[in-house]
Amino acid sequence: MTTASSTLRGLGVFLLMTLHVATASSQSGFVTLEGRDFKLDGQDFYPLVMNYGIDFMSNTVHPNEAQHPSEILISPASHTDESILGYFEYADQAGFDQQFVEHFQKINDMGFNTIRLLNALPFMRRESLNGPRHYSMRVRHNYLQWSPDPVEYLVDLDAPYFQSSASSRLFSLIRHVLDLADDAGLKVILLCADDVGEPTQQLTLATDQNAVDWYADYLHELGEALQGHPALLAYDLWNEPIWTNLDLLALTKEQVCDHTTQWYDRLKNADPEHLVTLGGAMHHELGSWDPAVMKLDFYSPHAYPVPNVLFNYDLNNAFEAFKAEIYWLGADCPMPYLIGETGFVAENDGVDPLDALDGCNGEHLDPAPAYDMRPWMDGTEEQQAAFALMSLNAVRDYRGSGYSWWDFQNNRSNWLLVQNEHPDDPMKWFQGNLFALLKFGNDVPITAPAVPCALPEWSEPNPWRDKIAVSTFANYDPGEAPNALPAPPASYGSWYCTGGVVYRQYTIEDEATSEPIQHALATVEWFYRTADPWDLATDGHYLWDRNTTDASGQVNIRKRDATNSAYDAPEAKRLLVDATGAEHLDYDPDNGVPWPGNNVEIPLDRNRLYIDDVLSGHTIPLSGEEVHAAWSSLTLSDVVVEGDGSTGGTADFKARDLVHVQGEFHAQHGAEAHLFTEPTFLDCAEQVVGMAAGGQAEQRSWLASTDVVPKKLVLSFAKPDVGVRVFPNPCTTSVQVVLSEGVGHCTVSNATGAIVYMSAAAGPMHLVDVSLWAAGEYSVRVSSDYGAQVVMFTKH
């Protein structure tokens, strides 16, 4: 049979590009994805995101707040500006709006173009372990002064089907903040759920299918309320599910696939224009919340530096481990990723304004002698700025599509909770409050010598003061997206150490093909016993090390000793083996699963999509029915779909952005080939491998409930050996169109699709005068009894 490669390539690329442009132009003002890149009205858009909290409040107390939804207001998180927990700056929505405007302007000034909106979400609770369950919103009573025990209400939203007056009020308040963000030129990623709390309070999505369905109902109503809003970039389905489940494998990958599919489809049915993501804990939860099996438009993992106490807060190791982690994402994440959270705890001040007004007692920022720094900090403000620059560059260099910082301003939101756990250790009371880029503010002048600890910037009221890293973000330019992944950092094979003795060596391979799996993770739990002989055998510190396979599938697990003399050499405990789209293996000798022997091959059951893939030198037989898919682009080269004249193989080729035929392609007589450009995901029921049963695949349809208009191209060849030639190409005055056999109909269209020439019936050769045509690209479509083909030519 003769080839149809050049004509098929012209038809495929031309039609795909035409449909793509038409789809993008219909979404003016919305952020879209093309491959790894976000686009805004066709232009590159690199989300630089600030995590930003809000609160719901009321000036009055009602036993049943649902009867008074109009009195609920939305404000910036009450711990921002010069305030402390339980204190709001204003008592009316107009005042809060002014505060939002000032915050959003500051976020813009710092170089950010997007906010991730936190706390605007339902609280999932149940009144007792087996009692009634509700989705509720938290409403805080406004004292207009600090209180150690602020009153909160839980306002039920769920009846009927999230269409109550309280639900409507919640949705309208969220939309109101979106309006303010839009006015400020900011896009918004909206966090939709954070299933945390005591087990008796949780309406956990990990163990209850009814809760999964209920959450899908909520998402649908939320999507209905927010559809069409230009400020919204994406819905964030859930914040770090592993910490909710409190169990790495509380859900199987099949269940995760089912759940995210249900939520994605219900959201897209209500709001097809906006994107969907999930804020995951990355490698911590790869055993279940694997990006390869979740139905998302992009993944938003959270990554933080870990300057561990066992190694005397070695920031160089922490920075290298962070780069290794991000490189792993760029090399192996099967969809675009945006860092959903990262940060660095730093504060150079020895006191804050509250301390100054209380006699400079330094209670909140006293140094912690055990760590030679203030409570639970990663380092100084200078080191925070260094981390910001390093991490910004690493995410961009390693194929990241965006970056998010945690968070906006130092706050006092955590200390009450921590104080309850550590009542006699004030050094720990502020462990989560110093990540921000802005320092504490002061609402009254604080001057020396009346206050001996006063700083010059406290002489006037000021809601905030910049840390050093603010200038890092304000001056950051992501530049052009990299064309290829660079060489990995030196620490990539063993994330937290570049040396050490090799304790074990394994080769990880695909169980079905016996091919090595690169970028698989071998995670080791080490136990460092205390060096104090009076301590119990169980006293010590646990540390998780990540080790990555190379191109040959080999991984070296290295053993490193603690540099802190308070601990002995480590003992190896658990070994976890993971890869995206693969089963999870857990070797735990304490629970009867011993480690594999040294230098053995470990097979993994695996199936996954690749973001860009190539199918080369492949034949689909007469009886074959095959589907080949990629996340973004699929290139076909030297592919044959066999046919015997009356019947043949059937092939579907799918990708979200582009299916490109490059080189030879044969769809022989009787065969059928389909090319689709539409969102492509693994099928939970058939393709999520190595997982225990228990998902709900039979209860849902993969795309039927998703109201989208996919770009689709179907090519079917009655006979693939119809040859068409166009010459000269390029041409200036005339062009000849020649059929290899038969008589055909000839139509020529310009780049806009307008027909510029037509020959209703002619012989096998057409001579077309193009001397008066505009320069550009043209397509020639010739149809005959043997089928139809399209070729391209250029007019100079």
Side-chain angles (χ1 to χ4, degrees), residues 263 293 352 374 380 399 516 629 650 690 718 725 746 756 773-774:
W263 300 335
V293 306
D352 75 8
R374 297 179 182 89
T380 65
R399 294 177 171 176
T650 301
R725 293 184 297 134
C746 176
V756 297
W773 294 7

Side-chain angles (χ1 to χ4, degrees), residues 125-134 200 202-203 208 214:
R125 69 180 180 90
R126 49 188 174 188
E127 296 175 2
S128 63
L129 189 60
N130 297 309
R133 296 166 295 184
H134 296 284
T200 56
Q202 288 181 357
L203 183 62
D208 191 334
W214 215 350

Side-chain angles (χ1 to χ4, degrees), residues 4 11 21 63 80 200 211 265 289 301 304 316 325 388 405 425 449 464 515 559 611 619 663 714 763 786 793:
L11 176 62
V21 172
T80 55
T200 56
D265 287 353
W289 295 86
Y304 289 88
N316 181 65
E325 187 172 6
W405 183 265
D425 190 354
W464 52 61
E515 294 180 353
K559 190 173 186 177
I611 192 165
T619 297
V714 180
Y786 299 106
F793 72 88

